Amino acid sequence: MRESCNFSSKNINQDKQGSADLNLTQAEFNEDKMSEECGVFGVFNADGESSAAELSYLGLIALQHRGQESAGICSNHNGDFNLHKGMGLVESVFEEKDMESLKGEMAIGHVRYSTSGSSKLSNAQPILINSIKGDLALAHNGNLANGAELRNNLEQNGSIFHSTLDTEVIAHLVARSFEDNIVEALVQSLHQLKGAFSLVAMTEDKLIAIRDPRGFRPLSLGKVDNTYVVASESCAFDVIGAEFIRDVAPGEVIVIDQDGIKSRRYTGENGTSLCVFEYIYFARPDSNIAGQNVLLARKEMGKQLAREMDVEADIVVPVPDSGIAAALGFAEESGIPYAQGILRNRYMGRTFIQPTQEIRDLKVRLKLSPIKEIIKDKKVILIDDSIVRGTTSKQIIGRIKEAGAREVHMAISSPPVEHPCYFGLDTSRRQELIASRNTEEEIGESIGADSLHYLSQAGMLKSIKTDVELGFCTACFDGDYPVDSRYLSEEE
Ligand code: SF4
């Protein structure tokens, strides 16, 4: 078993001279969005030209939007595990020599986003445990609502933690289980977990995929030739030429080994709570979740928003890229022309400059440029998928007005985000959410819009057409949390 780590210079917040790294990653730029915390990937029986780690590398690049602060791959060659992880984007964490060391026909991988306080190498995944039951590598997407309580109990009983990860809580529960078989120990530990967990795990000879009973986060199973793959999103299959087989069902444990696939339900709990924000913003537009393509769901939300709104305008302009699909739908339904009135700079360099407020404000200027010739003298409907803190919307509207727009009417293709998320996203503080303390009129005023419109919750849900009947988590909109309220405590 070998473990190596690196620390890419890319996302370090402070250099030796004390100046800041204004590295405008997607996550930093999207500070006015909820941020997903993880993406997971797993490979069993890679028998082609590419190793399991190489397939995982490609899969993680496809899942990079789900986490940009750290990445890791654990490979398995005939039961011999090798782990490499580091801070930064996938392409900066893995160099050729790292990939060469990750040999084997099985692998699991992970990309992570985190709030700044926990952005450190010890929190990178996968994590690897070596117990008398055998070796186990684990990668987790989600957030345990009772993670703190479980950790506390484990610490009281002598467990020592090396990270602040919920995943490590699961590892300790597995190690302490009275089950000798490591797969059974893992399944037994699941009964103690509350909240969101889509897991991929790897033993010496098995790849395991697990989804929590409510199915908060997506997880899918695919296949290419004789190789099985598991991924947070189906877009990661396309990149390696794998075919989507099916979603892992809520409450399902899938074990893949040389005898094939075995599936079981480990819980009798009923009722699902798939995160509706996966369709609104998190998932990549080319992914399908529960049979619904994400881009088409977003487009339908835009159409529904047009049906619910009554504003005349000259052009419909998306905030790139998050508002594009909804703006296309809005324009199609309303008959108001779609115009790419804001250009997004995709080639942001990295500059070491002092992180003054002025510089932070300039981020939006650097990233988005209104096209005056399209905007000037126009009555604009500006479409975005959500407003979380309101800071970026204000700056974008300001820039559109500077470019000469006559009026800017902001239209959001989801309802107001009024409540924090406790299931794997980075907004656990209600006070940060602009809609939790302001009326729609006040928000519109504070972001400088001539009017502000949100999609209704019923309209949002109507826009998502899954192939099986599913319940959704909508808690950040309506406060209706699908877990016991005693687990819902705001972060400090
Ligand atoms: S609270 Fe919102 S973001 Fe969190 S899981 Fe529920 S719907 Fe998704």
Side-chain angles (χ1 to χ4, degrees):
M1 195 189 304
R2 201 181 70 84
E3 179 164 352
S4 64
C5 296
N6 75 348
F7 199 103
S8 155
S9 58
K10 276 199 172 172
N11 278 359
I12 303 172
N13 291 324
Q14 201 77 20
D15 74 4
K16 287 184 192 121
Q17 284 76 43
S19 64
D21 169 359
L22 186 69
N23 179 16
L24 297 175
T25 63
Q26 178 81 8
E28 285 173 308
F29 173 69
N30 287 339
E31 62 191 13
D32 201 13
K33 300 286 179 196
M34 300 249 246
S35 292
E36 183 60 78
E37 290 203 348
C38 298
V40 295
F41 194 80
V43 180
F44 179 83
N45 195 36
D47 60 356
E49 282 180 12
S50 306
S51 69
E54 285 164 341
L55 295 176
S56 299
Y57 176 89
L58 296 171
L60 293 183
I61 286 187
L63 296 173
Q64 188 78 82
H65 60 287
R66 297 185 75 87
Q68 293 130 31
E69 293 199 358
S70 68
I73 294 174
C74 182
S75 70
N76 175 346
H77 181 49
N78 296 328
D80 186 16
F81 286 58
N82 280 288
L83 174 65
H84 180 81
K85 51 189 178 179
M87 302 299 288
L89 300 175
V90 176
E91 63 172 3
S92 66
V93 167
F94 298 96
E95 293 176 6
E96 205 176 331
K97 65 176 171 34
D98 305 316
M99 295 309 297
E100 280 165 10
S101 72
L102 294 169
K103 296 196 186 320
E105 52 296 325
M106 285 172 66
I108 65 169
H110 190 270
V111 285
R112 178 167 193 264
Y113 170 85
S114 68
T115 49
S116 55
S118 57
S119 177
K120 52 187 181 184
L121 186 56
S122 59
N123 281 344
Q125 297 190 47
I127 64 167
L128 188 50
I129 60 166
N130 175 234
S131 74
I132 51 167
K133 304 178 211 310
D135 293 341
L136 179 74
L138 272 175
H140 171 212
N141 172 207
N143 191 53
L144 299 183
N146 63 340
E149 182 182 300
L150 289 171
R151 171 181 290 258
N152 196 25
N153 290 344
L154 286 160
E155 283 176 335
Q156 302 274 345
N157 287 296
S159 293
I160 295 169
F161 283 80
H162 302 286
S163 72
T164 56
L165 293 172
D166 282 348
T167 325
E168 198 181 352
V169 170
I170 302 170
H172 279 283
L173 293 175
V174 173
R176 283 173 173 265
S177 164
F178 57 76
E179 290 281 358
D180 291 335
N181 178 296
I182 195 144
V183 177
E184 294 312 314
L186 176 59
V187 173
Q188 192 198 48
S189 75
L190 303 177
H191 294 285
Q192 297 182 59
L193 312 181
K194 305 277 178 220
F197 51 94
S198 279
L199 289 167
V200 290
M202 182 171 65
T203 68
E204 283 167 27
D205 61 352
K206 292 177 175 54
L207 181 74
I208 303 155
I210 298 166
R211 208 162 156 211
D212 71 67
R214 304 206 68 88
F216 280 99
R217 300 280 152 233
L219 191 63
S220 301
L221 176 68
K223 198 176 181 198
V224 49
D225 300 323
N226 297 318
T227 305
Y228 283 100
V229 280
V230 176
S232 288
E233 285 180 42
S234 62
C235 65
F237 298 153
D238 300 338
V239 77
I240 58 163
E243 186 191 333
F244 170 85
I245 299 178
R246 66 178 177 87
D247 291 320
V248 178
E252 183 181 17
V253 177
I254 291 180
V255 179
I256 308 169
D257 61 16
Q258 289 300 345
D259 296 330
I261 290 191
K262 289 190 191 70
S263 160
R264 66 168 132 156
R265 237 185 108 67
Y266 77 90
T267 169
E269 199 176 322
N270 284 318
T272 57
S273 311
L274 173 60
C275 170
V276 76
F277 238 105
E278 294 282 351
Y279 292 102
I280 295 167
Y281 173 71
F282 301 141
R284 230 171 71 160
D286 53 340
S287 287
N288 290 342
I289 305 171
Q292 167 71 70
N293 172 262
V294 171
L295 182 133
L296 293 180
R298 286 176 194 166
K299 204 171 161 197
E300 194 54 40
M301 287 172 200
K303 285 187 179 183
Q304 181 62 26
L305 183 59
R307 286 177 210 122
E308 293 180 11
M309 252 178 82
D310 184 21
V311 176
E312 285 178 10
D314 301 313
I315 49 174
V316 177
V317 174
V319 173
D321 292 330
S322 51
I324 290 176
L328 284 167
F330 192 105
E332 204 172 297
E333 184 67 23
S334 65
I336 302 170
Y338 174 93
Q340 194 186 342
I342 306 173
L343 191 74
R344 178 174 175 166
N345 182 358
R346 290 171 198 283
Y347 306 103
M348 301 303 303
R350 188 170 164 245
T351 48
F352 286 92
I353 37 184
Q354 292 297 329
T356 60
Q357 188 53 47
E358 191 185 352
I359 290 298
R360 287 195 194 97
D361 292 345
L362 284 174
K363 277 185 182 181
V364 173
R365 243 170 219 284
L366 288 165
K367 194 80 183 180
L368 297 179
S369 304
I371 301 170
K372 282 193 187 123
E373 289 69 17
I374 290 179
I375 300 279
K376 196 167 180 304
D377 297 329
K378 296 287 191 321
K379 203 168 164 182
V380 176
I381 293 183
L382 179 67
I383 309 265
D384 205 355
D385 68 294
S386 58
I387 300 180
V388 176
R389 297 172 185 87
T391 45
T392 307
S393 307
K394 183 177 177 177
Q395 291 174 47
I396 295 170
I397 291 171
R399 294 222 61 203
I400 293 178
K401 290 207 163 170
E402 268 172 41
R406 204 151 38 91
E407 290 175 22
V408 181
H409 301 274
M410 184 98 203
I412 303 297
S413 58
S414 64
V417 176
E418 292 182 36
H419 305 271
C421 174
Y422 302 98
F423 309 116
L425 304 177
D426 70 336
T427 52
S428 299
R429 295 180 202 89
R430 193 169 178 183
Q431 76 219 29
E432 290 176 2
L433 307 170
I434 192 168
S436 75
R437 51 195 157 77
N438 293 286
T439 63
E440 286 182 26
E441 210 180 326
E442 287 166 344
I443 300 168
E445 247 171 62
S446 82
I447 62 175
D450 291 285
S451 69
L452 171 65
H453 309 261
Y454 285 98
L455 179 62
S456 68
Q457 186 158 322
M460 169 184 72
L461 293 173
K462 202 164 86 176
S463 306
I464 304 168
K465 296 177 180 70
T466 54
D467 55 4
V468 283
E469 208 170 305
L470 276 182
F472 291 100
C473 177
T474 50
C476 51
F477 303 118
D478 58 16
D480 185 9
Y481 291 95
V483 300
D484 194 317
S485 60
R486 76 192 170 101
Y487 298 121
L488 308 176
S489 65
E490 299 208 3
E491 282 178 2
E492 293 303 312

